[in-house]
Amino acid sequence: MNIRKEWISSRLFKNLLVAISLPIFSIQLYSQDWIRFYGQGQNAYAWVVTEQYDRGFVFGASLNQLYGWLFKTDVNGYMIWEKTFGNGNYYMSIRDVEQTADGGFILCGSTQKYSASMDAYLMKLNACAEVEWCRVLITTGNYELGPRVKPTPEGDYVLLGAYFETNPASNISLFKFNGNGDLIWHQFYPMDSIYYEDQPKDLIVDHDGYLILNGRYYPDSGTIGPAIIRHHFLKTDTAGNKIWDLVYGANSNFYGNPWAVAKSSIGNYYEVGYRMDFPPGISPSCLIKVKHNGTPSYNAMISGEESGGLGSIDFLFDSLLVMIGAWNENNIEHVGFIKTDTLGNLIQLKEVYQGTHSYYQATKTIDNKFIALSNDATGATWKIFAVKVKSDLEYDTIYTQSFTYDSLCPQAIVSDTIDPICDNVYVSIDEPFRNPETTRLKIFPNPADKIVTVEMPEYLVV
């Protein structure tokens, strides 16, 4: 399995790191700082970590490139239970995990259980981590991915898909399922002839629809040369109909690849990734701002004239952003938190680990702290590294008070292995699936106490 690596090198960061260059091993051995490793010796690779209703954390990962691995820790990062998905005879991974309204879990990823090529799946677990339903999306002969899933306010689930259509120039799609796992609609977003390929990266459920963050191969304006990867934003309504899309820098030769996006309190989108070959041979980490209507606002190079890559972004406050990134110095790879203002001005950097890394992600907790994961292969196999910091980017410490975990499950959750049986959803590649549900007025939540939301469709299908 090829894992794309994004690196940051270091001349800008070098002076900042002098004050924070304590060896990670002495920190791990002699303090109570929140630093953890998981899956050592098991070839473990994680994609996502999320905070749960009980202050615990759930990780979505894979083991030995064969099993999907879901495990939960307490607030201090010590494992409570784990669930392994698969039987060892086919590939399965967990690319995203979100908590559901009932305290359960919605998972997505890829599996080879039902065909020789890769297929995307969507799986719902209850609060006891038991499978309620599972769906596999199969397009014969295609290598499909399910990189992101998000719950919606009305209790549905939106899955970001990749590579479903046989036309290689149309690689991004959305699928909407109801709470029972029934497909409501799906939409494909084809490109015109000058585009080359899409790489879906992130998804936001917004009050008026959904925002897809995507890497799109697009040639220089006015040329017929080779396509180059660009930052791409696509906004839809709640029925998946495209409202606007933006290839950032299409007319200004701004190249690069996105990784994650966050929304500000006033509705603007802030995206991080890297800018490629600016100046030639340099790929600095970058921040891009786009207004809610799709108008580009500005970009900033976080690492100046240095190579870079940022894997996640969250708002600490309206004027402060916290990101996780990696950089390379003297052939040693580093992972750290970066704090900036919304203009991309560097405020603080905190190095948390050195090793060999691929993919890094962080999420903000309910008390304005940040937990991050990275994947390390300095030994013979991959293992997962996780760290938690406070809002000042100093390491969080161990909680001594007691917490009650998984209170929504009436019994203790048992660690075991599950070979899930999924109902197949064969998706037509001819045209988007239509369902009368997309034309109906919706009222939620149901039942309600004092406030209800009424949602009317923007488009009517006759």
Side-chain angles (χ1 to χ4, degrees):
M1 180 178 181
N2 293 324
I3 310 285
R4 185 179 179 87
K5 296 183 177 180
E6 314 299 343
W7 311 122
I8 305 178
S9 71
S10 62
R11 285 198 302 270
L12 172 72
F13 292 153
K14 191 171 184 180
N15 292 333
L16 290 171
L17 292 176
V18 170
I20 55 174
S21 58
L22 290 174
I24 190 70
F25 302 106
S26 65
I27 294 173
Q28 185 180 8
L29 291 173
Y30 300 112
S31 78
Q32 290 297 307
D33 293 329
W34 207 111
I35 301 169
R36 303 285 178 264
F37 289 93
Y38 306 105
Q40 292 172 289
Q42 297 178 278
N43 202 20
Y45 195 95
W47 291 100
V48 64
V49 57
T50 62
E51 186 181 32
Q52 302 300 293
Y53 67 90
D54 53 13
R55 302 290 299 277
F57 299 104
V58 164
F59 291 74
S62 63
L63 288 175
N64 293 316
Q65 296 190 359
L66 287 175
Y67 296 94
W69 192 30
L70 184 76
F71 64 92
K72 182 170 183 177
T73 74
D74 64 16
V75 70
N76 292 319
Y78 300 118
M79 191 175 294
I80 302 173
W81 53 259
E82 59 182 318
K83 296 285 183 177
T84 305
F85 295 87
N87 63 14
N89 295 319
Y90 60 87
Y91 172 84
M92 189 166 189
S93 69
I94 299 174
R95 291 290 300 269
D96 201 8
V97 182
E98 291 282 343
Q99 184 174 278
T100 58
D102 60 359
F105 312 90
I106 188 75
L107 320 178
C108 70
S110 298
T111 180
Q112 287 183 305
K113 180 173 183 176
Y114 294 95
S115 67
S117 60
M118 203 73 71
D119 302 311
Y121 74 86
L122 186 68
M123 189 186 306
K124 172 68 170 62
L125 309 183
N126 63 20
C128 296
E130 300 164 334
V131 178
E132 289 188 346
W133 50 260
C134 179
R135 305 289 182 260
V136 172
L137 303 171
I138 299 177
T139 309
T140 304
N142 280 17
Y143 184 99
E144 301 102 6
L145 301 176
R148 287 288 182 271
V149 61
K150 300 295 178 186
T152 69
E154 65 272 22
D156 299 328
Y157 305 107
V158 178
L159 174 70
L160 176 62
Y163 311 116
F164 279 88
E165 289 199 281
T166 54
N167 177 3
S170 180
N171 292 329
I172 54 174
S173 51
L174 285 181
F175 301 81
K176 190 170 186 178
F177 294 81
N178 66 19
N180 296 319
D182 302 317
L183 182 63
I184 300 174
W185 51 255
H186 75 257
Q187 298 276 16
F188 296 128
Y189 305 100
M191 304 179 291
D192 63 39
S193 59
I194 65 172
Y195 300 159
Y196 172 67
E197 183 186 354
D198 281 326
Q199 295 181 353
K201 295 297 178 64
D202 207 355
L203 176 67
I204 286 181
V205 171
D206 217 339
H207 71 278
D208 57 353
Y210 315 115
L211 180 84
I212 299 171
L213 181 65
N214 178 50
R216 172 161 286 187
Y217 283 86
Y218 188 96
D220 281 338
S221 179
T223 72
I224 56 174
I228 303 176
I229 190 70
R230 312 244 188 190
H231 300 251
H232 176 228
F233 302 77
L234 190 152
K235 181 66 182 291
T236 78
D237 64 12
T238 56
N241 300 296
K242 185 172 73 173
I243 299 175
W244 56 261
D245 71 328
L246 169 69
V247 178
Y248 191 93
N251 298 317
S252 62
N253 299 332
F254 187 101
Y255 315 133
N257 208 359
W259 278 104
V261 62
K263 181 188 172 187
S264 72
S265 61
I266 60 174
N268 296 318
Y269 302 111
Y270 290 79
E271 176 259 306
V272 291
Y274 69 90
R275 180 172 183 179
M276 188 167 57
D277 297 329
F278 177 79
I282 299 297
S283 298
S285 56
C286 69
L287 170 72
I288 291 174
K289 178 184 176 181
V290 173
K291 296 181 179 179
H292 192 78
N293 63 1
T295 302
S297 186
Y298 57 79
N299 63 80
M301 304 302 107
I302 304 299
S303 56
E305 294 187 359
E306 295 294 333
S307 294
L310 298 170
S312 69
I313 178 172
D314 279 292
F315 277 87
L316 177 56
F317 305 109
D318 286 346
S319 60
L320 290 178
L321 298 164
V322 173
M323 312 157 194
I324 188 77
W327 60 93
N328 185 284
E329 182 180 10
N330 298 325
N331 295 319
I332 298 175
E333 294 156 24
H334 307 255
V335 170
F337 286 92
I338 298 168
K339 184 187 293 183
T340 75
D341 61 19
T342 54
L343 295 175
N345 297 307
L346 185 63
I347 296 173
Q348 186 182 1
L349 182 142
K350 172 71 172 180
E351 180 185 356
V352 295
Y353 191 62
Q354 298 178 12
T356 301
H357 299 88
S358 179
Y359 192 78
Y360 28 89
Q361 183 259 348
T363 187
K364 186 172 74 170
T365 66
I366 193 171
D367 54 352
N368 288 324
K369 298 178 181 180
F370 296 87
I371 180 171
L373 64 82
S374 181
N375 297 285
D376 175 62
T378 51
T381 58
W382 288 98
K383 61 179 177 291
I384 300 164
F385 167 76
V387 62
K388 189 177 175 208
V389 299
K390 297 176 288 188
S391 59
D392 61 3
L393 302 192
E394 294 304 315
Y395 290 111
D396 198 16
T397 52
I398 300 302
Y399 291 82
T400 58
Q401 66 267 43
S402 61
F403 291 78
T404 300
Y405 298 99
D406 300 311
S407 60
L408 296 178
C409 181
Q411 68 268 3
I413 297 179
V414 177
S415 298
D416 59 6
T417 298
I418 303 168
D419 188 7
I421 298 175
C422 300
D423 299 323
N424 295 339
V425 179
Y426 294 90
V427 179
S428 169
I429 62 172
D430 297 325
E431 62 181 15
F433 178 85
R434 298 297 184 187
N435 189 301
E437 183 70 20
T438 63
T439 69
R440 294 173 181 165
L441 180 144
K442 294 182 179 180
I443 301 177
F444 56 89
N446 183 19
D449 183 11
K450 296 179 180 179
I451 299 175
V452 298
T453 299
V454 178
E455 181 181 287
M456 298 183 65
E458 182 174 354
Y459 299 91
L460 294 180
V461 180
V462 179

